[in-house]
Amino acid sequence: MTRPRVTFWRLFIVASLALGAYSIFVRFHEGIGGATNLSDGTPWGLWVGLDILTGVALAAGGFMITAVVYVFGLERYRPIVRPALLTAFLGYLFFVIGLLVELGRPWNIWHAIIYWNPNSALFEVAWCVMLYTIVLALEVSNLIFERFGWVRLSRVFHAVVLFLVIAGVMLSTLHQSSLGTLFVIAPGKMHALWYSPALPLIFYVSCMCAGLAMVMVEAFLSQRFLKHPVRVDLMARLARVLMIGLMLLTLLRFSDLWLRSALPLAFQPTEEALAFWVEVALFQVIPIVVLWPERRRASPRRLFVGAFSAVAGLVTHRMNVATTSFVSSSPTDYFPTWMEFSVSIALVVAGVVVFWGFAKWTPLFAEGEHPPHAAHRAEHVTRARPGPPTAISGCGRARRGARRLPAPRRWPGGRSTAPGTRC
Amino acid sequence: MSKGMLIDITACTGCRACVNACRTKNRLDAPPGARLSETDFTVLEHRDRLAVRRMCYHCNDPACASACPVAAMVRTPEGPVAYDEHRCMGCRYCMVACPHGVPAFEWHSRMPRVRKCAFCPDHVAEGRPPPCATACPTEATLFGDRDALIKAATARIDARPERYYPGIWGRDVAGGTSVMFLSPVPFDRLGLRTDLGPDPLGHATGRILALVPGTAATVVTVLGGTYWLYRRRAAVAAEQALAAARDGADAAAREGREGGR
């Protein structure tokens, strides 16, 4: 990376964070209306569509990759577990920050804990998001443990990680789909191209597609900006899964429209139809065309374009659901102000900066760098060494660790969790 | 006993007495607007040369109350749908959920509230008509027990069928409302929702939310079971490999011994 480019990006980061901070100040000083174009007819806008619905959906890569590695034991995906988890955690972290800006009375955000309304889809989302953010924080915490060499905490982490992963998948399944359930209460207000009783399913399938795509985009951006080489073979495998997911989504989306006889609406000269086709182009047509033949999936550029298009498609879908679909029933039109954009951009930039910090200061890319069987062998060597120092020293803590060792450990931990390194 | 109001559009002269009474009662000082807003809890909209009163219709099973994550919107047994600003976190999901576009938000406030007609609970709880009904000079807004109002409405339609569109809006729209309408023309021409069906809107989301515990249990069981299966398979494979290696070693040792002999 040449020096001027670094300066440009630094300038960009500082400028966007400053603008975002200014907009947040205006929002709290003059009320939400002072910073946004929201109105009673379109009460949810860019901040809900982008910061909340999209932020949560793009974090879906975290629960999928962890499940694939920890539950299904597909070790080949191990190298992308940590980046995917970190992306997910930062997605939720900045989603919560965005929520504090977006809520009218953010000082009451904790009320969901004490005032219950189990009939509300948003109540269910609130609880799942709350718990899942904690789960993600715990899952990411091991990066910190390893960074500072806190072996005991790291060991605790490895003991409970499976439960965290399963809890994460469960909570994600519930709230990713419930974000779609939110809109099932508004039939007739929403344009028929987006309203559907099947929205929970559409949200769930689309978040999985976009979550995978986001993992790919993040890997390619890590190569570009963090000089961490991308595993094109892994990306090609993910792309195949992404393709299958997207085709399933296309089938789901269009059969749903067809069953509700809403498909003709897509061929009328309306803004909604235009928004719909932009969404279909970005979310379904471009990724599938770009990634279709298997041999093309060896090209990093194609992989990136396909994944990036799918991410952009998800953004369009969520924006359409939260905003475009309500405009026709609203007496007012809606287009976000520059301040709304600046807050969303600042949140994304802040997330990228924190990601960069983790990449720089923690063993983010350390896990699974070597093929897993090599790591296994290394561990066997450690274990087979006659008279391990831990046993001789008689350190209780280490012995406990040593006693646990003979159990077959399918998932070798990070470097510093190697048994007997400390006591 | 649930209270209600019957608004007979054929009797309404558009004098705005109800609007002014509401503004006085709720101390709404901003200049009156044409649409419901944070400072207009009821307005008269002109459609088909008729004055149509807009306000919160106080659903029997309101979508806003079913949507609110902190139960800041609650339907009281007397009929009014009440809002508690001290619970509200300002998520505005009630505004998304309301099929009639009623709740309004204080967009330019630092401590914003959701604003709408409260059906003057201080009057209604005591069985007194709210100021808007008292103010009406032509009995276009009637207050009473909801069941009695439905009977009165049916009687009005039966007495003068040429004057009324045969139907009471609100008797069973999305679970029914406390504020009902009689009209000379079909209700959709007045901008009232006629596409909602008899089920409360919250039932659609409720049916989906009822799947939550089952989904959670299924996900945990499937993942736990998968993990156990994979572990078991790996353990068996490892044992077999170990046994094979031992056999191999034994055979090699035997061969070595025989070779040496």
Side-chain angles (χ1 to χ4, degrees):
Chain A
M1 212 180 282
T2 53
R3 199 161 179 76
R5 175 163 282 138
V6 172
T7 317
F8 167 76
W9 283 114
R10 281 185 185 166
L11 214 69
F12 173 77
I13 288 169
V14 171
S16 55
L17 290 181
L19 282 178
Y22 170 75
S23 304
I24 291 175
F25 170 75
V26 172
R27 174 257 171 272
F28 280 105
H29 190 258
E30 294 173 21
I32 296 180
T36 70
N37 273 340
L38 295 173
S39 66
D40 292 338
T42 49
W44 284 355
L46 184 77
W47 289 347
V48 169
L50 197 64
D51 306 355
I52 293 176
L53 296 183
T54 305
V56 168
L58 291 184
F63 86 83
M64 293 165 72
I65 303 289
T66 49
V68 158
V69 170
Y70 284 98
V71 177
F72 294 87
L74 296 179
E75 284 292 330
R76 71 170 76 95
Y77 294 107
R78 172 77 64 177
I80 54 176
V81 164
R82 289 182 171 186
L85 266 181
L86 184 61
T87 308
F89 174 63
L90 295 180
Y92 277 82
L93 191 66
F94 286 93
F95 146 71
V96 172
I97 295 172
L99 190 63
L100 289 173
V101 178
E102 203 276 336
L103 285 181
R105 305 166 69 86
W107 52 90
N108 283 345
I109 191 172
W110 57 280
H111 277 183
I113 302 172
I114 54 165
Y115 298 125
W116 285 30
N117 180 13
N119 294 323
S120 165
L122 196 54
F123 172 78
E124 202 248 300
V125 170
W127 267 91
C128 285
V129 165
M130 201 155 54
L131 295 176
Y132 187 48
T133 307
I134 296 171
V135 166
L136 276 173
L138 292 175
E139 284 177 327
V140 170
S141 62
N142 194 38
L143 286 175
I144 309 286
F145 301 160
E146 289 193 10
R147 167 70 180 79
F148 294 104
W150 297 337
V151 179
R152 257 183 91 187
L153 282 171
S154 214
R155 202 172 287 154
V156 170
F157 168 81
H158 282 286
V160 298
V161 66
L162 180 74
F163 298 99
L164 292 178
V165 167
I166 292 183
V169 176
M170 181 195 79
L171 294 168
S172 295
T173 304
L174 294 186
H175 74 266
Q176 295 281 8
S177 54
S178 289
L179 282 172
T181 313
L182 286 186
F183 295 93
V184 174
I185 206 163
K189 279 180 99 176
M190 283 174 76
H191 197 274
L193 283 173
W194 291 283
Y195 178 82
S196 161
L199 269 175
L201 197 58
I202 293 172
F203 264 55
Y204 190 53
V205 175
S206 60
C207 89
M208 298 218 275
C209 295
L212 274 186
M214 189 61 205
V215 169
M216 294 169 65
V217 168
E218 170 264 307
F220 282 107
L221 291 181
S222 292
Q223 166 163 280
R224 171 73 179 72
F225 292 103
L226 303 173
K227 295 184 181 151
H228 176 74
V230 71
R231 286 276 302 273
V232 179
D233 58 322
L234 276 188
M235 295 304 126
R237 281 174 185 276
L238 289 184
R240 199 168 78 181
V241 183
L242 174 62
M243 287 271 301
I244 297 169
L246 285 176
M247 285 191 274
L248 195 69
L249 179 66
T250 314
L251 190 70
L252 182 66
R253 190 89 168 79
F254 278 89
S255 56
D256 170 62
L257 286 173
W258 185 69
L259 285 174
R260 291 185 295 107
S261 331
L263 208 46
L265 292 173
F267 299 100
Q268 289 171 355
T270 58
E271 280 177 28
E272 282 87 358
L274 181 68
F276 172 78
W277 286 113
V278 169
E279 175 199 320
V280 169
L282 287 171
F283 208 174
Q284 279 119 29
V285 178
I286 295 178
I288 292 180
V289 167
V290 166
L291 301 173
W292 176 257
E294 200 168 343
R295 62 191 152 75
R296 284 189 187 163
R297 279 179 236 143
S299 150
R301 179 187 288 268
R302 276 185 178 275
L303 289 171
F304 179 72
V305 169
F308 190 81
S309 178
V311 168
L314 178 108
V315 174
T316 324
H317 176 249
R318 296 303 197 260
M319 280 305 295
N320 281 342
V321 168
T323 303
T324 317
S325 71
F326 283 95
V327 168
S328 61
S329 71
S330 156
T332 46
D333 220 337
Y334 170 78
F335 191 80
T337 59
W338 72 266
M339 284 195 261
E340 292 180 76
F341 279 112
S342 72
V343 171
S344 296
I345 293 171
L347 287 176
V348 174
V349 167
V352 170
V353 168
V354 177
F355 188 94
W356 172 83
F358 267 86
K360 202 170 163 62
W361 301 110
T362 69
L364 178 64
F365 298 115
E367 204 177 41
E369 284 295 80
H370 320 286
H373 56 271
H376 258 307
R377 217 182 298 136
E379 204 180 31
H380 278 300
V381 170
T382 324
R383 222 182 281 158
R385 202 163 43 203
T390 51
I392 296 167
S393 69
C395 164
R397 221 184 298 155
R399 239 191 292 130
R400 261 210 306 283
R403 217 181 308 142
R404 266 190 47 209
L405 274 178
R409 280 182 52 144
R410 277 171 55 71
W411 352 107
R415 288 171 305 185
S416 56
T417 58
T421 47
R422 244 187 176 208
C423 76
Chain B
M1 188 55 122
S2 170
K3 300 290 180 186
M5 289 209 295
L6 179 68
I7 298 173
D8 186 341
I9 289 173
T10 64
C12 178
T13 60
C15 70
R16 297 173 45 84
C18 52
V19 176
N20 290 325
C22 176
R23 289 168 57 79
T24 311
K25 168 74 172 36
N26 291 298
R27 297 198 190 88
L28 304 171
D29 303 326
R35 283 197 306 258
L36 291 184
S37 75
E38 66 204 81
T39 51
D40 299 275
F41 297 171
T42 186
V43 295
L44 290 180
E45 253 180 47
H46 293 276
R47 301 236 183 176
D48 262 19
R49 271 179 273 161
L50 295 165
V52 185
R53 214 180 139 191
R54 296 262 179 264
M55 57 184 290
C56 174
Y57 304 130
H58 299 276
C59 303
N60 293 335
D61 192 344
C64 59
S66 121
C68 180
V70 292
M73 288 275 185
V74 178
R75 186 202 183 259
T76 53
E78 296 84 27
V81 177
Y83 166 72
D84 180 355
E85 66 186 71
H86 300 293
R87 283 195 174 202
C88 176
M89 57 167 91
C91 71
R92 313 190 291 286
Y93 186 29
C94 52
M95 305 171 67
V96 171
C98 175
H100 312 295
V102 169
F105 194 69
E106 293 180 321
W107 292 104
H108 292 276
S109 163
R110 279 178 219 174
M111 295 182 69
R113 295 165 294 177
V114 171
R115 305 291 271 153
K116 72 175 191 67
C117 157
F119 202 3
C120 295
D122 47 339
H123 288 243
V124 171
E126 296 170 10
R128 289 189 293 139
C132 60
T134 321
C136 184
T138 62
E139 294 199 336
T141 296
L142 288 176
F143 172 82
D145 286 339
R146 187 171 182 272
D147 298 339
L149 287 175
I150 291 173
K151 279 199 195 105
T154 318
R156 282 194 187 191
I157 295 172
D158 288 347
R160 304 184 65 179
E162 76 288 350
R163 187 180 167 129
Y164 291 102
Y165 173 78
I168 307 168
W169 187 92
R171 193 181 58 187
D172 31 39
V173 169
T177 57
S178 294
V179 178
M180 295 168 290
F181 283 87
L182 284 178
S183 155
V185 298
F187 297 112
D188 51 342
R189 278 164 64 185
L190 304 177
L192 292 166
R193 295 285 297 266
T194 51
D195 59 327
L196 288 172
D199 260 3
L201 292 175
H203 284 196
T205 45
R207 270 194 294 275
I208 299 173
L209 288 175
L211 302 174
V212 162
T215 311
T218 311
V219 169
V220 170
T221 315
V222 167
L223 288 186
T226 313
Y227 176 77
W228 183 82
L229 276 177
Y230 274 92
R231 282 285 301 239
R232 179 87 195 113
R233 208 167 69 178
V236 168
E239 245 165 57
Q240 279 170 350
L242 202 65
R246 210 182 292 129
D247 288 353
D250 287 354
R254 224 177 299 129
E255 244 170 55
R257 249 179 277 135
E258 279 163 10
R261 203 178 282 165

